Amino acid sequence: MNTYDRLISGYREFKKNYLGDENREWLKVAGERQDPKVMMVACSDSRVHPAILTRSALGELFMVRNVANVVPPFEKDDAEGTYHGTSAAIEFAVNNLHVEHIIIMGHSGCGGIEALMDQSVTGENSDFSFIRPWMKIVEQANEFNEREVTTMSKKSRVCVCEQRAILISLNNLVTFPWVRDAIKEGKLQLHAWYFDIKSGNLSEYDRDSESFVEIK
Ligand SMILES: [Zn+2]
């Protein structure tokens, strides 16, 4: 079976089993409106699928997936041709859906971070790229001092860069006034996750130890 036919076959199986038998009761409510409690910002990477790795059902996760799970800072920008898809989704999630949690999930082996680190999209000489200005949002994640460069392996630096980028996005979230307000009112919690693809281990950022701690 080719790749496309496999998708169609998967859909038929979903329609018959998931909608037909396993979730009949839930579907009665789902037709009305969505009421997710969680927004997740994840990477577009095909190996990191939030609904699959949290076993979430339809209606549970309000999703944004973009290159390297980046959240830009709050910017009032009326310039024609400037678009803020991720910011619009955050606004809708907090102001209209009143989600209780926003999770930013990064991962190992992230192509966006790799591009940032090897300058392939941020370098002066590269051709036009949409990825370049996008990854610049988290370019501070790639700032390593001399000691770090000499003592850390490339692999460790990639991991550190991926995790720092998640935290930059987490800090950017708080620059949105309605996010800040919801947190102050105790209605919203922010979380940072890091998924290691090879081991399948998921870690959560712990503010006390200022590190990502594996969820057991
Ligand atoms: Zn990625």
Side-chain angles (χ1 to χ4, degrees), residues 15-38:
K15 182 91 190 292
K16 181 170 177 286
N17 296 327
Y18 188 96
L19 292 187
D21 301 325
E22 296 165 19
N23 293 282
R24 207 181 292 276
E25 283 307 306
W26 184 83
L27 274 176
K28 285 181 198 160
V29 212
E32 305 295 322
R33 57 188 280 273
Q34 65 165 331
D35 188 24
K37 305 291 180 218
V38 179

PDB file of all heavy atoms in Angstrom, residues 15-38:
ATOM      1  N   LYS A  15     -12.983   6.234  11.250  1.00  0.00           N
ATOM      2  CA  LYS A  15     -14.429   6.473  11.142  1.00  0.00           C
ATOM      3  C   LYS A  15     -15.209   5.296  11.735  1.00  0.00           C
ATOM      4  O   LYS A  15     -16.184   5.489  12.466  1.00  0.00           O
ATOM      5  CB  LYS A  15     -14.764   6.659   9.659  1.00  0.00           C
ATOM      6  CG  LYS A  15     -16.206   6.975   9.344  1.00  0.00           C
ATOM      7  CD  LYS A  15     -16.437   8.467   9.317  1.00  0.00           C
ATOM      8  CE  LYS A  15     -17.906   8.856   9.257  1.00  0.00           C
ATOM      9  NZ  LYS A  15     -18.541   8.508   7.993  1.00  0.00           N
ATOM     10  N   LYS A  16     -14.749   4.101  11.422  1.00  0.00           N
ATOM     11  CA  LYS A  16     -15.480   2.907  11.851  1.00  0.00           C
ATOM     12  C   LYS A  16     -15.304   2.648  13.354  1.00  0.00           C
ATOM     13  O   LYS A  16     -16.273   2.500  14.085  1.00  0.00           O
ATOM     14  CB  LYS A  16     -14.957   1.709  11.053  1.00  0.00           C
ATOM     15  CG  LYS A  16     -15.634   0.391  11.367  1.00  0.00           C
ATOM     16  CD  LYS A  16     -15.194  -0.653  10.354  1.00  0.00           C
ATOM     17  CE  LYS A  16     -15.782  -2.010  10.649  1.00  0.00           C
ATOM     18  NZ  LYS A  16     -15.134  -2.656  11.801  1.00  0.00           N
ATOM     19  N   ASN A  17     -14.050   2.667  13.794  1.00  0.00           N
ATOM     20  CA  ASN A  17     -13.796   2.269  15.184  1.00  0.00           C
ATOM     21  C   ASN A  17     -13.802   3.436  16.162  1.00  0.00           C
ATOM     22  O   ASN A  17     -14.540   3.434  17.143  1.00  0.00           O
ATOM     23  CB  ASN A  17     -12.462   1.522  15.283  1.00  0.00           C
ATOM     24  CG  ASN A  17     -12.502   0.231  14.502  1.00  0.00           C
ATOM     25  OD1 ASN A  17     -13.542  -0.416  14.411  1.00  0.00           O
ATOM     26  ND2 ASN A  17     -11.388  -0.128  13.910  1.00  0.00           N
ATOM     27  N   TYR A  18     -12.986   4.459  15.879  1.00  0.00           N
ATOM     28  CA  TYR A  18     -12.849   5.562  16.842  1.00  0.00           C
ATOM     29  C   TYR A  18     -14.164   6.326  16.979  1.00  0.00           C
ATOM     30  O   TYR A  18     -14.658   6.557  18.075  1.00  0.00           O
ATOM     31  CB  TYR A  18     -11.730   6.497  16.379  1.00  0.00           C
ATOM     32  CG  TYR A  18     -11.371   7.562  17.384  1.00  0.00           C
ATOM     33  CD1 TYR A  18     -10.303   7.388  18.269  1.00  0.00           C
ATOM     34  CD2 TYR A  18     -12.088   8.749  17.468  1.00  0.00           C
ATOM     35  CE1 TYR A  18      -9.973   8.361  19.194  1.00  0.00           C
ATOM     36  CE2 TYR A  18     -11.769   9.732  18.394  1.00  0.00           C
ATOM     37  CZ  TYR A  18     -10.706   9.537  19.256  1.00  0.00           C
ATOM     38  OH  TYR A  18     -10.395  10.506  20.176  1.00  0.00           O
ATOM     39  N   LEU A  19     -14.735   6.732  15.845  1.00  0.00           N
ATOM     40  CA  LEU A  19     -15.987   7.483  15.915  1.00  0.00           C
ATOM     41  C   LEU A  19     -17.179   6.555  16.090  1.00  0.00           C
ATOM     42  O   LEU A  19     -18.131   6.869  16.792  1.00  0.00           O
ATOM     43  CB  LEU A  19     -16.185   8.308  14.636  1.00  0.00           C
ATOM     44  CG  LEU A  19     -15.225   9.466  14.406  1.00  0.00           C
ATOM     45  CD1 LEU A  19     -15.662  10.285  13.202  1.00  0.00           C
ATOM     46  CD2 LEU A  19     -15.130  10.383  15.620  1.00  0.00           C
ATOM     47  N   GLY A  20     -17.094   5.408  15.429  1.00  0.00           N
ATOM     48  CA  GLY A  20     -18.262   4.532  15.402  1.00  0.00           C
ATOM     49  C   GLY A  20     -18.508   3.798  16.700  1.00  0.00           C
ATOM     50  O   GLY A  20     -19.646   3.703  17.155  1.00  0.00           O
ATOM     51  N   ASP A  21     -17.470   3.278  17.318  1.00  0.00           N
ATOM     52  CA  ASP A  21     -17.678   2.417  18.479  1.00  0.00           C
ATOM     53  C   ASP A  21     -17.104   3.002  19.767  1.00  0.00           C
ATOM     54  O   ASP A  21     -17.775   3.097  20.779  1.00  0.00           O
ATOM     55  CB  ASP A  21     -17.011   1.053  18.229  1.00  0.00           C
ATOM     56  CG  ASP A  21     -17.590   0.389  16.988  1.00  0.00           C
ATOM     57  OD1 ASP A  21     -18.804   0.562  16.766  1.00  0.00           O
ATOM     58  OD2 ASP A  21     -16.838  -0.279  16.264  1.00  0.00           O
ATOM     59  N   GLU A  22     -15.835   3.465  19.687  1.00  0.00           N
ATOM     60  CA  GLU A  22     -15.131   3.803  20.925  1.00  0.00           C
ATOM     61  C   GLU A  22     -15.585   5.117  21.557  1.00  0.00           C
ATOM     62  O   GLU A  22     -15.470   5.313  22.751  1.00  0.00           O
ATOM     63  CB  GLU A  22     -13.613   3.869  20.646  1.00  0.00           C
ATOM     64  CG  GLU A  22     -13.031   2.531  20.219  1.00  0.00           C
ATOM     65  CD  GLU A  22     -11.646   2.663  19.606  1.00  0.00           C
ATOM     66  OE1 GLU A  22     -10.995   3.699  19.829  1.00  0.00           O
ATOM     67  OE2 GLU A  22     -11.226   1.743  18.886  1.00  0.00           O
ATOM     68  N   ASN A  23     -16.073   6.055  20.751  1.00  0.00           N
ATOM     69  CA  ASN A  23     -16.348   7.392  21.286  1.00  0.00           C
ATOM     70  C   ASN A  23     -17.759   7.890  20.993  1.00  0.00           C
ATOM     71  O   ASN A  23     -17.987   9.086  20.864  1.00  0.00           O
ATOM     72  CB  ASN A  23     -15.325   8.389  20.729  1.00  0.00           C
ATOM     73  CG  ASN A  23     -13.932   8.097  21.246  1.00  0.00           C
ATOM     74  OD1 ASN A  23     -13.605   8.435  22.367  1.00  0.00           O
ATOM     75  ND2 ASN A  23     -13.146   7.412  20.450  1.00  0.00           N
ATOM     76  N   ARG A  24     -18.677   6.982  20.933  1.00  0.00           N
ATOM     77  CA  ARG A  24     -20.053   7.346  20.572  1.00  0.00           C
ATOM     78  C   ARG A  24     -20.641   8.413  21.520  1.00  0.00           C
ATOM     79  O   ARG A  24     -21.216   9.391  21.083  1.00  0.00           O
ATOM     80  CB  ARG A  24     -20.930   6.091  20.582  1.00  0.00           C
ATOM     81  CG  ARG A  24     -22.123   6.163  19.659  1.00  0.00           C
ATOM     82  CD  ARG A  24     -22.938   4.884  19.759  1.00  0.00           C
ATOM     83  NE  ARG A  24     -22.230   3.725  19.218  1.00  0.00           N
ATOM     84  CZ  ARG A  24     -22.216   3.402  17.927  1.00  0.00           C
ATOM     85  NH1 ARG A  24     -22.860   4.156  17.066  1.00  0.00           N
ATOM     86  NH2 ARG A  24     -21.576   2.334  17.497  1.00  0.00           N
ATOM     87  N   GLU A  25     -20.456   8.216  22.799  1.00  0.00           N
ATOM     88  CA  GLU A  25     -21.028   9.128  23.796  1.00  0.00           C
ATOM     89  C   GLU A  25     -20.422  10.522  23.677  1.00  0.00           C
ATOM     90  O   GLU A  25     -21.111  11.534  23.692  1.00  0.00           O
ATOM     91  CB  GLU A  25     -20.778   8.592  25.213  1.00  0.00           C
ATOM     92  CG  GLU A  25     -21.686   7.459  25.615  1.00  0.00           C
ATOM     93  CD  GLU A  25     -23.153   7.808  25.432  1.00  0.00           C
ATOM     94  OE1 GLU A  25     -23.590   8.842  25.970  1.00  0.00           O
ATOM     95  OE2 GLU A  25     -23.862   7.059  24.716  1.00  0.00           O
ATOM     96  N   TRP A  26     -19.087  10.552  23.556  1.00  0.00           N
ATOM     97  CA  TRP A  26     -18.377  11.824  23.499  1.00  0.00           C
ATOM     98  C   TRP A  26     -18.805  12.652  22.301  1.00  0.00           C
ATOM     99  O   TRP A  26     -18.919  13.866  22.361  1.00  0.00           O
ATOM    100  CB  TRP A  26     -16.870  11.555  23.461  1.00  0.00           C
ATOM    101  CG  TRP A  26     -16.070  12.806  23.492  1.00  0.00           C
ATOM    102  CD1 TRP A  26     -15.733  13.506  24.606  1.00  0.00           C
ATOM    103  CD2 TRP A  26     -15.571  13.534  22.388  1.00  0.00           C
ATOM    104  NE1 TRP A  26     -15.029  14.621  24.250  1.00  0.00           N
ATOM    105  CE2 TRP A  26     -14.919  14.667  22.899  1.00  0.00           C
ATOM    106  CE3 TRP A  26     -15.606  13.350  21.004  1.00  0.00           C
ATOM    107  CZ2 TRP A  26     -14.301  15.610  22.086  1.00  0.00           C
ATOM    108  CZ3 TRP A  26     -14.989  14.280  20.193  1.00  0.00           C
ATOM    109  CH2 TRP A  26     -14.340  15.395  20.726  1.00  0.00           C
ATOM    110  N   LEU A  27     -19.083  11.969  21.197  1.00  0.00           N
ATOM    111  CA  LEU A  27     -19.437  12.662  19.962  1.00  0.00           C
ATOM    112  C   LEU A  27     -20.718  13.488  20.098  1.00  0.00           C
ATOM    113  O   LEU A  27     -20.873  14.504  19.440  1.00  0.00           O
ATOM    114  CB  LEU A  27     -19.604  11.654  18.826  1.00  0.00           C
ATOM    115  CG  LEU A  27     -18.311  11.285  18.111  1.00  0.00           C
ATOM    116  CD1 LEU A  27     -18.555  10.211  17.083  1.00  0.00           C
ATOM    117  CD2 LEU A  27     -17.712  12.513  17.434  1.00  0.00           C
ATOM    118  N   LYS A  28     -21.603  13.059  20.969  1.00  0.00           N
ATOM    119  CA  LYS A  28     -22.855  13.807  21.164  1.00  0.00           C
ATOM    120  C   LYS A  28     -22.556  15.226  21.631  1.00  0.00           C
ATOM    121  O   LYS A  28     -23.213  16.183  21.255  1.00  0.00           O
ATOM    122  CB  LYS A  28     -23.727  13.102  22.213  1.00  0.00           C
ATOM    123  CG  LYS A  28     -24.408  11.862  21.706  1.00  0.00           C
ATOM    124  CD  LYS A  28     -25.263  11.273  22.825  1.00  0.00           C
ATOM    125  CE  LYS A  28     -25.607   9.830  22.513  1.00  0.00           C
ATOM    126  NZ  LYS A  28     -26.002   9.084  23.707  1.00  0.00           N
ATOM    127  N   VAL A  29     -21.558  15.377  22.493  1.00  0.00           N
ATOM    128  CA  VAL A  29     -21.196  16.688  23.035  1.00  0.00           C
ATOM    129  C   VAL A  29     -20.294  17.453  22.056  1.00  0.00           C
ATOM    130  O   VAL A  29     -20.385  18.676  21.914  1.00  0.00           O
ATOM    131  CB  VAL A  29     -20.407  16.559  24.362  1.00  0.00           C
ATOM    132  CG1 VAL A  29     -20.705  17.723  25.273  1.00  0.00           C
ATOM    133  CG2 VAL A  29     -20.679  15.230  25.037  1.00  0.00           C
ATOM    134  N   ALA A  30     -19.412  16.724  21.405  1.00  0.00           N
ATOM    135  CA  ALA A  30     -18.401  17.369  20.570  1.00  0.00           C
ATOM    136  C   ALA A  30     -18.994  18.136  19.405  1.00  0.00           C
ATOM    137  O   ALA A  30     -18.401  19.097  18.923  1.00  0.00           O
ATOM    138  CB  ALA A  30     -17.428  16.316  20.050  1.00  0.00           C
ATOM    139  N   GLY A  31     -20.153  17.734  18.958  1.00  0.00           N
ATOM    140  CA  GLY A  31     -20.788  18.425  17.839  1.00  0.00           C
ATOM    141  C   GLY A  31     -21.184  19.845  18.191  1.00  0.00           C
ATOM    142  O   GLY A  31     -21.340  20.694  17.312  1.00  0.00           O
ATOM    143  N   GLU A  32     -21.354  20.140  19.445  1.00  0.00           N
ATOM    144  CA  GLU A  32     -21.839  21.456  19.887  1.00  0.00           C
ATOM    145  C   GLU A  32     -20.744  22.522  19.795  1.00  0.00           C
ATOM    146  O   GLU A  32     -20.835  23.456  19.046  1.00  0.00           O
ATOM    147  CB  GLU A  32     -22.332  21.375  21.336  1.00  0.00           C
ATOM    148  CG  GLU A  32     -23.388  20.302  21.587  1.00  0.00           C
ATOM    149  CD  GLU A  32     -24.681  20.588  20.842  1.00  0.00           C
ATOM    150  OE1 GLU A  32     -25.059  21.764  20.765  1.00  0.00           O
ATOM    151  OE2 GLU A  32     -25.292  19.629  20.320  1.00  0.00           O
ATOM    152  N   ARG A  33     -19.708  22.394  20.598  1.00  0.00           N
ATOM    153  CA  ARG A  33     -18.625  23.382  20.622  1.00  0.00           C
ATOM    154  C   ARG A  33     -17.379  22.735  21.215  1.00  0.00           C
ATOM    155  O   ARG A  33     -17.477  21.716  21.896  1.00  0.00           O
ATOM    156  CB  ARG A  33     -19.015  24.601  21.457  1.00  0.00           C
ATOM    157  CG  ARG A  33     -19.405  24.274  22.885  1.00  0.00           C
ATOM    158  CD  ARG A  33     -19.959  25.473  23.611  1.00  0.00           C
ATOM    159  NE  ARG A  33     -18.902  26.341  24.089  1.00  0.00           N
ATOM    160  CZ  ARG A  33     -18.271  26.204  25.255  1.00  0.00           C
ATOM    161  NH1 ARG A  33     -18.614  25.225  26.080  1.00  0.00           N
ATOM    162  NH2 ARG A  33     -17.331  27.034  25.626  1.00  0.00           N
ATOM    163  N   GLN A  34     -16.236  23.362  20.957  1.00  0.00           N
ATOM    164  CA  GLN A  34     -15.035  22.805  21.585  1.00  0.00           C
ATOM    165  C   GLN A  34     -14.824  23.444  22.953  1.00  0.00           C
ATOM    166  O   GLN A  34     -15.168  24.610  23.159  1.00  0.00           O
ATOM    167  CB  GLN A  34     -13.809  22.999  20.691  1.00  0.00           C
ATOM    168  CG  GLN A  34     -13.371  24.429  20.445  1.00  0.00           C
ATOM    169  CD  GLN A  34     -11.958  24.508  19.870  1.00  0.00           C
ATOM    170  OE1 GLN A  34     -11.118  23.650  20.116  1.00  0.00           O
ATOM    171  NE2 GLN A  34     -11.693  25.563  19.106  1.00  0.00           N
ATOM    172  N   ASP A  35     -14.288  22.655  23.868  1.00  0.00           N
ATOM    173  CA  ASP A  35     -14.044  23.154  25.213  1.00  0.00           C
ATOM    174  C   ASP A  35     -12.751  22.565  25.776  1.00  0.00           C
ATOM    175  O   ASP A  35     -12.752  21.934  26.839  1.00  0.00           O
ATOM    176  CB  ASP A  35     -15.242  22.789  26.110  1.00  0.00           C
ATOM    177  CG  ASP A  35     -15.141  23.461  27.475  1.00  0.00           C
ATOM    178  OD1 ASP A  35     -14.470  24.513  27.591  1.00  0.00           O
ATOM    179  OD2 ASP A  35     -15.697  22.897  28.438  1.00  0.00           O
ATOM    180  N   PRO A  36     -11.636  22.759  25.056  1.00  0.00           N
ATOM    181  CA  PRO A  36     -10.379  22.185  25.543  1.00  0.00           C
ATOM    182  C   PRO A  36      -9.854  22.945  26.755  1.00  0.00           C
ATOM    183  O   PRO A  36     -10.071  24.150  26.878  1.00  0.00           O
ATOM    184  CB  PRO A  36      -9.433  22.357  24.351  1.00  0.00           C
ATOM    185  CG  PRO A  36      -9.946  23.571  23.660  1.00  0.00           C
ATOM    186  CD  PRO A  36     -11.439  23.563  23.839  1.00  0.00           C
ATOM    187  N   LYS A  37      -9.195  22.249  27.652  1.00  0.00           N
ATOM    188  CA  LYS A  37      -8.605  22.903  28.832  1.00  0.00           C
ATOM    189  C   LYS A  37      -7.121  23.167  28.624  1.00  0.00           C
ATOM    190  O   LYS A  37      -6.473  23.815  29.439  1.00  0.00           O
ATOM    191  CB  LYS A  37      -8.765  22.005  30.073  1.00  0.00           C
ATOM    192  CG  LYS A  37     -10.193  21.595  30.365  1.00  0.00           C
ATOM    193  CD  LYS A  37     -11.016  22.776  30.809  1.00  0.00           C
ATOM    194  CE  LYS A  37     -12.459  22.365  31.097  1.00  0.00           C
ATOM    195  NZ  LYS A  37     -13.408  23.394  30.667  1.00  0.00           N
ATOM    196  N   VAL A  38      -6.578  22.605  27.543  1.00  0.00           N
ATOM    197  CA  VAL A  38      -5.130  22.678  27.326  1.00  0.00           C
ATOM    198  C   VAL A  38      -4.819  23.182  25.924  1.00  0.00           C
ATOM    199  O   VAL A  38      -5.400  22.723  24.947  1.00  0.00           O
ATOM    200  CB  VAL A  38      -4.490  21.269  27.479  1.00  0.00           C
ATOM    201  CG1 VAL A  38      -2.981  21.328  27.224  1.00  0.00           C
ATOM    202  CG2 VAL A  38      -4.774  20.695  28.859  1.00  0.00           C
TER     203      VAL A  38
END
